[in-house]
Amino acid sequence: MKRCLLVLLLSGLAHARPAPSTLIANIPGRTTMSLNGAWHAIVDPFDNGKGTFFRDEKPRSKSDRVEYSFDASPVLNVPGDWNTQREALMFYEGPVWYRREFSYHKRTSTRAFVYFGAVNYQATVYLNGEKLGEHEGGFTAFNFEATSVLREGTNTLVVEVNNVRRVDAVPTLKFDWWNYGGITRDVALVEAPSIFIQDYSVQLTRGSQTEVDGWVQLNGAPSGQKVTVEIPEAGARETSAVDGAGRANFHFAAKLDLWSPAHPKLYDVVLTSGADTIHDQIGFRTIEVQGPNILLNGKPIFLRGISMHEEAPFRGGRAFSPEDAQTLLGWVKDLGCNFVRFAHYPHNENEIRLADRIGLLVWSEIPVYWDIDWANPATLANAEAQLRDEIARDHNRAAVILWSLSNETPVKPERLAFLKQLAQDARELDSTRLITSAMNHVEDTGSDVRTISDPLGEVVDVLALNEYLGWYWGRPEDADKMQWKSNWNKPLIVSEFGGGAVYGRHGDADEIWTEEYQDNLYQHQLAMVERMPNLAGLTPWVLMDFRSPARMLPGVQDYHNRKGLISNRGQRKIAFYTLQRFYKKLAEAGK
Ligand code: GCB
C-alpha cells in the first residue's frame, strides 16, 4: 500500500499534468470592451521593476522619490510587437512593463475577464495593484477573472512581459524566426453572466455525416441547469441538462451541407443557457485517414499547401490584424492552395477564422522546435499547456484538420516519450482531428534511396517530412534520381523543402540566391515529390520572406530568411508561378 502511494507520488512528480484550460471559448461571439491601443511602456532590461511597478505609484509630494513613471514613459501599440515599433528595441529581449487605464461601470450578475490573444513570451498581469495571474507561452490565448478586483471608474491594468529565451522554455534558445516581444494580439475585457458558457464542441459524429455530437461546459452552474444548442438553418435544436461538473452532452440528427475548401459553408450555431446566449459560425466536415489517404468528408483529398509564418506583409513584424490575414491568405489562395501550414506556433484567430470562411484546410502547430529540454517535467507541462490552449481556442473550426506536435526534433528516447505524451493529450482533448509532426530524420538505405524511419512515425496519423534536397544537401538535380521509402503505410505530407532567393536577383540556375536557382530547385523537387510513396500533400517552405536573427548574410539575408516565394514587400518570385502551375495541374486532375 505504502509502496503504491510512493510510486503514485513519484510519477506525479515526474509529470505534473497541466490544469484544464480556463479559456473562454469564442471571444468573437461575445460582447467585449477592447483594451487595444496605446499602452505606456517601461523597458526594464535589469528587471528592476519586479515588486514595485505593478503598483503604478506616483510621487505623493514634491520630495517623494519614485524612480519610474508610466505616465512619463512613451507608448507602445497593442496589439503589436515592440521590436518593430522602436528601432532601439529591434534586438531587445527582456522585460517590458505595460500599463493601460480604462474606465469601467460595474453591473450586478456580471462577471468580467481580462483576455489576451497572446503575449510573447511570459506575462504577469496585475489589475489595480493585485496580481491576476501569470501565463507562459507566446502564441496562445488566456484570460483571468477580474470581477472582484474591478473598480467603479478608473482601473489600472499592468502587464510585465518578458521575451527572454530560456533553455527549458518552448521554444527554447534557438529557433529560425524573430523573437518578437510584446502584447502581440488583441486584449479585451470580456463580460459574461454569473453562469456562462465556458466552452463547447459542436461537430459531426465520428464516421457520420448526418449526426452531430457535442458538449457544453458551463461555468458556475448548478447540476441540472438547462443548455440549448440550435442550428436554425438546419432546423436542429436540442436541450439538455448539465451534470455536477457543469457539463452536458448532445447527440442529434441534422441534415447539413458539408464544409470543404470548394464549399466553405458555415452555419450559425446558437448556444443558450439561462442569461447567456452566444453565436458561433461553424462548419461541419469529417476528416480521417485510410491507409495512405487523407479523407475529407469520406473522399481522398490531396493537400495543396504552403507553409507560412505569422509575419506581417509590407510593414514587417508580427502579423495580427484581419487585414494581415486577408493579404497572407489571399496569396495562399492565389497560389492555388486548399491547405496551409501555420508554422511554427499557433497563429492568431483572425487567420483561422478567415481560413474557415474562405475554405482553407489548416495545419496548426505548437513551438516544440528542434532540441528542447525533453527530460524536464516543467518543459513537458509547458508544451502540454500550449497544446491544450491551442485546442481550446480552435476546436470548433472546421478548417483545422491537423494538430502538429513538433518540428524537426532529434530522434532519441526522451524526445519520443515527450511527444507520445503530447499525442495522447491531443487525442484526449480532441479525438476528431489528425495528429502529425514535421520530421527530418531519414535513413540512407541504398544509393539514392532514403527511408522515412523516425520512430515517431508510429505515433502520428499523418507523416510529415522536411527535406531540403538541393539546399542543405545535394544539388537540385539530385532529386531526379532520388527514391523515397517509408516504414509506414500512412499518408505523407512533404512539409518543407525550399531554397533562398533575393527577389529581383537574377542569374543562372546554379547561382545561389537568385530567383532562377530557387525556381530550378522547385522544378526538380516537384517532379520528385510526385514519385514519393503515399504522398497526400505538400507545404513547401515558405510563403513569404521572414525575419530571423540566424540569417545574417549582408546584402542577401540582412536578418531575413529568403526562402519565401514572395518577398516581404509582396513581390512574387519566379518559383511562386512554378508552384502555382503545379497546383493548377493537380486541381485540374481532380486532386
Ligand atoms: C527548417 C525549419 C524552418 C526553417 C527552415 C530553413 O527545417 O523547420 O523553421 O526556417 O528549415 O529555412 O532552414
Side-chain angles (χ1 to χ4, degrees), residues 349-587:
E349 196 168 0
N350 293 314
E351 289 183 10
I352 305 269
R353 293 258 176 191
L354 183 61
D356 244 10
R357 293 199 298 275
I358 65 176
L360 276 173
L361 295 159
V362 168
W363 155 320
S364 182
E365 176 168 338
I366 50 168
V368 174
Y369 184 92
W370 293 349
D371 202 9
I372 67 167
D373 200 358
W374 304 108
N376 184 338
T379 303
L380 175 58
N382 177 0
E384 288 186 283
Q386 294 194 43
L387 177 71
R388 176 199 69 197
D389 291 341
E390 171 197 43
I391 294 176
R393 195 195 65 184
D394 292 336
H395 66 96
N396 284 304
R397 304 284 71 82
V400 181
I401 54 167
L402 282 160
W403 301 124
S404 174
L405 308 176
S406 62
N407 180 75
E408 292 190 354
T409 51
V411 172
K412 48 185 171 181
E414 57 272 34
R415 163 267 201 178
L416 191 59
F418 188 110
L419 294 179
K420 272 186 176 166
Q421 181 62 51
L422 290 185
Q424 187 186 321
D425 292 355
R427 290 187 172 113
E428 273 169 24
L429 293 164
D430 174 14
S431 62
T432 71
R433 288 182 176 79
L434 307 175
I435 306 293
T436 192
S437 262
M439 299 175 247
N440 62 342
H441 174 85
V442 288
E443 261 176 89
D444 203 336
T445 50
S447 96
D448 300 321
V449 184
R450 296 287 184 282
T451 301
I452 301 166
S453 62
D454 186 332
L456 186 59
E458 192 61 40
V459 178
V460 296
D461 301 309
V462 175
L463 302 168
L465 179 70
N466 294 356
E467 53 83 14
Y468 275 91
L469 180 51
W471 188 256
Y472 291 126
W473 57 291
R475 309 280 316 151
E477 292 72 21
D478 294 339
D480 303 349
K481 50 183 193 302
M482 191 60 69
Q483 298 299 321
W484 291 88
K485 290 188 178 160
S486 170
N487 280 356
W488 294 275
N489 184 33
K490 293 185 179 185
L492 168 69
I493 295 176
V494 174
S495 38
E496 288 183 32
F497 69 78
V502 181
Y503 171 78
R505 182 177 287 216
H506 295 288
D508 297 334
D510 60 0
E511 190 183 334
I512 198 159
W513 306 118
T514 62
E515 288 192 43
E516 285 74 10
Y517 187 104
Q518 185 191 41
D519 183 50
N520 184 48
L521 188 152
Y522 266 72
Q523 292 193 25
H524 289 279
Q525 277 282 336
L526 294 175
M528 180 189 80
V529 295
E530 282 200 292
R531 292 186 281 107
M532 289 176 85
N534 305 343
L535 189 75
L538 283 185
T539 53
W541 194 255
V542 60
L543 181 68
M544 190 187 84
D545 292 351
F546 59 94
R547 274 209 183 85
S548 168
R551 309 290 173 177
M552 292 158 277
L553 186 63
V556 173
Q557 295 174 315
D558 301 313
Y559 296 107
H560 286 81
N561 184 314
R562 296 287 179 205
K563 295 189 189 71
L565 292 175
I566 304 180
S567 78
N568 45 317
R569 307 212 180 285
Q571 300 131 319
R572 295 174 182 193
K573 305 178 194 173
I574 301 170
F576 177 95
Y577 300 103
T578 299
L579 185 61
Q580 190 185 47
R581 275 195 304 279
F582 181 75
Y583 282 161
K584 188 157 183 264
K585 186 187 83 182
L586 290 185

Side-chain angles (χ1 to χ4, degrees), residues 150-201:
L150 278 163
R151 291 187 190 141
E152 186 65 32
T154 303
N155 287 265
T156 305
L157 187 60
V158 172
V159 185
E160 182 185 10
V161 182
N162 194 337
N163 72 334
V164 79
R165 287 166 295 123
R166 296 193 331 251
V167 71
D168 61 333
V170 181
T172 180
L173 297 176
K174 287 204 175 171
F175 43 89
D176 187 22
W177 67 85
W178 208 266
N179 186 21
Y180 293 118
I183 304 178
T184 48
R185 295 185 191 157
D186 295 329
V187 186
L189 196 71
V190 182
E191 284 189 337
S194 327
I195 299 171
F196 72 94
I197 298 162
Q198 168 97 44
D199 195 5
Y200 51 87
S201 163

Side-chain angles (χ1 to χ4, degrees), residues 202-204 209-214 227-240 250-257 267-272 279-280 282 284:
V202 188
Q203 53 193 308
L204 287 175
Q209 298 189 353
T210 54
E211 283 161 78
V212 173
D213 250 332
V227 187
T228 301
V229 177
E230 209 179 338
I231 312 175
E233 198 185 329
R237 186 174 201 275
E238 178 97 343
T239 298
S240 140
F250 291 92
H251 183 92
F252 55 87
K255 207 173 153 347
L256 295 159
D257 231 356
Y267 285 87
D268 184 37
V269 176
V270 192
L271 298 119
T272 313
H279 290 255
D280 200 354
I282 298 183
F284 296 90

